[in-house]
């Protein structure tokens, strides 16, 4: 039977995974959602207040602490503290996990 090798990179950790499947297998694939928010406030403990396009505020996200996202955290803090007119961030969500990943 024919085989297919699937390689994927975890969008939250950057870990690489490889799996081999039969070409007749049904393989589940996770769905990921991307949403942009405007940073309203950053608390001392890293909690970020975000506003979506509808004007709804959420206060349940924190700045990323992952090493591979350290530049993202640094850029967000710098832009916010410098009073940039609008600081936008992108939040990725999949399988009950959400994380700020860009800007």
């Amino acid at each position: 039977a024919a085989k297919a090798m699937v390689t994927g990179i975890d969008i939250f950790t950057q870990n690489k995974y490889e799996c081999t499947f039969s070409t007749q297998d049904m393989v589940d694939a996770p769905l990921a959602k991307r949403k942009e928010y405007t940073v309203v406030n950053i608390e001392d403990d890293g909690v970020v207040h975000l506003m979506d396009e509808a004007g709804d505020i959420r206060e349940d996200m924190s700045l990323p602490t992952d090493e591979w996202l350290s530049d993202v955290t640094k850029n967000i803090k710098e832009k916010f503290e410098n009073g940039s007119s609008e600081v936008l961030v992108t939040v990725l969500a999949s399988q009950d996990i959400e994380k700020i990943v860009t800007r």
Side-chain angles (χ1 to χ4, degrees):
K3 300 279 184 182
M5 179 173 269
V6 177
T7 301
I9 297 176
D10 188 308
I11 60 174
F12 298 114
T13 65
Q14 295 297 288
N15 291 336
K16 183 177 180 180
Y17 297 94
E18 293 182 357
C19 294
T20 304
F21 299 96
S22 168
T23 55
Q24 296 176 351
D25 288 347
M26 296 294 288
V27 179
D28 291 331
L31 298 176
K33 294 183 182 182
R34 176 185 303 262
K35 189 168 181 181
E36 279 201 350
Y37 292 90
T38 301
V39 176
V40 177
N41 189 33
I42 300 174
E43 295 181 13
D44 292 337
D45 61 358
V47 173
V48 184
H49 299 208
L50 304 171
M51 181 173 60
D52 64 13
E53 291 178 356
D56 296 325
I57 303 286
R58 60 183 294 182
E59 301 173 0
D60 60 343
M61 297 288 303
S62 294
L63 290 170
T65 56
D66 307 89
E67 181 63 35
W68 68 278
L69 289 171
S70 61
D71 288 346
V72 170
T73 299
K74 180 181 171 187
N75 289 339
I76 292 169
K77 283 182 176 179
E78 284 178 0
K79 287 180 181 178
F80 186 77
E81 290 169 359
N82 292 338
S84 294
S85 59
E86 185 174 55
V87 180
L88 297 174
V89 297
T90 301
V91 174
L92 281 182
S94 181
Q95 300 179 346
D96 298 325
I97 299 172
E98 291 185 297
K99 186 176 282 194
I100 297 171
V101 293
T102 59
R103 286 300 148 133

